[in-house]
Amino acid sequence: MTYDVVIIGAGPAGLTAAIYASRAGLKTLLIESAAIASQAAMASDIENYPGFPEGLNGFELMDRFRKQAEKFGAEFRIDDVKSIKESKSSGKKAYQIKLDGESVVSLSVVIAVGTSPRKLGIPGEEKFQGKGVFYCAVCDAAFFKDKDIIVAGGGDAAVEEALFLARFGRQVTLIHRRERLRATKILQERAFADKKIKFIWNSTLIAISGDEKVKSVKIKNVKTGEKKEIPCDGIFISVGYIPNTDFLKGILKLDKNGHVITDSNMKTSKKGIFACGDAKKKLLRQIVTACGDGATAAFSARMYVEELKGEKYGV
Ligand code: NAP
């Protein structure tokens, strides 16, 4: 069986592409990874998605997207995509998407694979992962009731994590390598007003220590070179994200950070493959921009498939 479009990734971009593609009558399959969760689904409180002034939880929002795609007939499958290669279906150009074990064939592909948390790569980070070192406050904050918590990073995500963790912990110390935050103003103001959150500026984490669990972190002031050890129970690392595009190397044109390069219609360097959401090169990574990308990618895929089938409308 040949799909019209296979969408890889179940975040806001992929799910929106699934809604648009299936509603347009394309035979649509969405493949979601068992190992990689959508960043949006892990957001505790989304307050800038239009139409929900009271805010809403990311998991709930993604669940609504999914139901909408299912309503229009999109199929879902949990599997890991290993590679994509050119193929043929009834004499037409197609793509073979190799999964764990078997393959599916589709006339077009929409890449919506999102990103994963960047690691610091410091001693102790890997050893204590899950034993005091975490990358998602919503998932793991509950372990840190009345504990001392470190957050590393200075962007929107780090500040949101710190605010969320402050609901649980005794104290949250946010450590940032500069002397001001990258995060948006409204989040900064909330963090500065939260008495449980304190800040250490111009500093980076250089090592994590403990026995069974994390006991302390060593930091270094990037201006003075001074090093010190801070006792803590948990460390949440939030220093940005890297695109989940390793499997696309050599297949699509990527930028130096691994983001897929597309035009404004979400076309990639390969005809019939489109990309949307956080994994593509773009200025603003937000749920609302991922949705816009997803809709455009599905529309471009539809135009491509109709042309391939000789069903293109008008000129
Ligand atoms: P980000 O905006 O790229 O910020 C990453 C932060 O980590 C920066 O402050 C950066 O420092 C720091 N950093 C990076 N590498 C580091 C290293 N090796 N050591 C120490 N610090 C390091 O990433 P993000 O906060 O994860 O957000 C990702 C995207 O999602 C952004 O577009 C963000 O706006 C969006 N987002 C939005 C919301 C929201 O709207 N509510 C919430 C979460 C995320 P420098 O500042 O020095 O570069």
Side-chain angles (χ1 to χ4, degrees), residues 232-301:
C232 63
D233 302 295
I235 300 168
F236 286 78
I237 296 170
S238 189
V239 294
Y241 293 89
I242 46 171
N244 298 316
T245 53
D246 265 1
F247 73 106
L248 296 169
K249 282 181 185 154
I251 302 171
L252 298 181
K253 208 165 160 190
L254 308 177
D255 73 3
K256 66 175 183 357
N257 299 317
H259 294 106
V260 183
I261 296 173
T262 71
D263 70 3
S264 57
N265 294 328
M266 309 302 143
K267 291 179 184 171
T268 68
S269 53
K270 272 247 152 60
K271 254 188 134 191
I273 304 187
F274 307 87
C276 51
D278 283 8
K280 89 175 205 81
K281 184 175 162 69
K282 62 194 279 189
L283 178 66
L284 181 63
R285 294 192 167 83
Q286 292 279 302
I287 296 176
V288 72
T289 61
C291 294
D293 291 353
T296 306
F299 189 76
S300 291

Side-chain angles (χ1 to χ4, degrees), residues 39 43 45-48 115 117-122 152-161 175-178 180-184 186-187 203-205 237-241 278 282-287:
Q39 302 294 335
D45 187 19
I46 297 166
E47 55 181 31
N48 53 1
T115 56
R118 177 181 288 128
K119 305 209 166 167
L120 285 172
I122 57 172
D156 285 335
V159 176
E160 277 194 344
E161 300 265 283
I175 300 173
H176 184 36
R177 65 183 178 185
R178 300 203 209 200
R180 69 186 181 99
L181 297 169
R182 179 185 285 277
T184 192
I186 189 168
L187 292 175
S203 299
T204 53
L205 278 59
I237 296 170
S238 189
V239 294
Y241 293 89
D278 283 8
K282 62 194 279 189
L283 178 66
L284 181 63
R285 294 192 167 83
Q286 292 279 302
I287 296 176

Side-chain angles (χ1 to χ4, degrees), residues 5 7 12-22 28 30 110 112 276 290-291 293-295 297-298:
V5 58
I7 298 160
L15 289 169
T16 304
I19 293 168
Y20 274 72
S22 53
T28 304
L30 186 147
V110 172
C276 51
C291 294
D293 291 353

Side-chain angles (χ1 to χ4, degrees), residues 56-309:
L56 84 169
N57 160 282
F59 184 81
E60 187 191 335
L61 183 63
M62 291 306 97
D63 193 48
R64 285 168 179 254
F65 280 30
R66 179 184 296 266
K67 287 190 176 119
Q68 213 167 338
E70 281 169 351
K71 181 179 122 184
F72 292 119
E75 293 175 34
F76 284 76
R77 171 176 183 151
I78 296 175
D79 220 320
D80 281 312
V81 174
K82 300 292 175 203
S83 64
I84 301 173
K85 66 175 190 187
E86 283 181 32
S87 162
K88 287 263 180 215
S89 171
S90 307
K92 293 181 186 64
K93 180 177 168 169
Y95 287 98
Q96 186 186 40
I97 298 122
K98 193 165 173 349
L99 306 170
D100 248 349
E102 60 170 316
S103 294
V104 290
V105 176
S106 180
L107 298 180
S108 68
V109 181
V110 172
I111 307 289
V113 290
T115 56
S116 291
R118 177 181 288 128
K119 305 209 166 167
L120 285 172
I122 57 172
E125 183 179 10
E126 209 172 307
K127 178 176 172 196
F128 291 107
Q129 193 171 325
K131 297 175 196 151
V133 173
F134 298 95
Y135 299 85
C136 168
V138 174
C139 320
D140 300 302
F143 297 124
F144 294 94
K145 200 161 162 23
D146 298 324
K147 305 277 188 200
D148 290 330
I149 308 164
I150 300 286
V151 174
D156 285 335
V159 176
E160 277 194 344
E161 300 265 283
L163 285 162
F164 187 76
L165 287 160
R167 297 187 206 165
F168 298 83
R170 191 187 72 83
Q171 182 169 66
V172 176
T173 305
L174 189 145
I175 300 173
H176 184 36
R177 65 183 178 185
R178 300 203 209 200
E179 58 199 3
R180 69 186 181 99
L181 297 169
R182 179 185 285 277
T184 192
K185 216 57 183 188
I186 189 168
L187 292 175
Q188 292 196 23
E189 284 166 5
R190 281 181 202 162
F192 294 143
D194 192 317
K195 293 200 165 39
K196 279 194 184 172
I197 303 178
K198 72 172 202 175
F199 298 84
I200 298 180
W201 304 111
N202 295 316
S203 299
T204 53
L205 278 59
I206 54 171
I208 295 165
S209 309
D211 38 43
E212 290 298 294
K213 288 186 174 168
V214 164
K215 288 268 193 283
S216 67
V217 62
K218 192 183 257 181
I219 66 167
K220 181 181 172 186
N221 185 302
V222 294
K223 293 223 160 136
T224 63
E226 187 199 343
K227 293 179 188 166
K228 66 175 176 185
E229 189 115 6
I230 307 174
C232 63
D233 302 295
I235 300 168
F236 286 78
I237 296 170
S238 189
V239 294
Y241 293 89
I242 46 171
N244 298 316
T245 53
D246 265 1
F247 73 106
L248 296 169
K249 282 181 185 154
I251 302 171
L252 298 181
K253 208 165 160 190
L254 308 177
D255 73 3
K256 66 175 183 357
N257 299 317
H259 294 106
V260 183
I261 296 173
T262 71
D263 70 3
S264 57
N265 294 328
M266 309 302 143
K267 291 179 184 171
T268 68
S269 53
K270 272 247 152 60
K271 254 188 134 191
I273 304 187
F274 307 87
C276 51
D278 283 8
K280 89 175 205 81
K281 184 175 162 69
K282 62 194 279 189
L283 178 66
L284 181 63
R285 294 192 167 83
Q286 292 279 302
I287 296 176
V288 72
T289 61
C291 294
D293 291 353
T296 306
F299 189 76
S300 291
R302 173 187 156 191
M303 306 254 280
Y304 172 80
V305 167
E306 285 177 353
E307 187 163 5
L308 208 62
K309 290 180 173 174

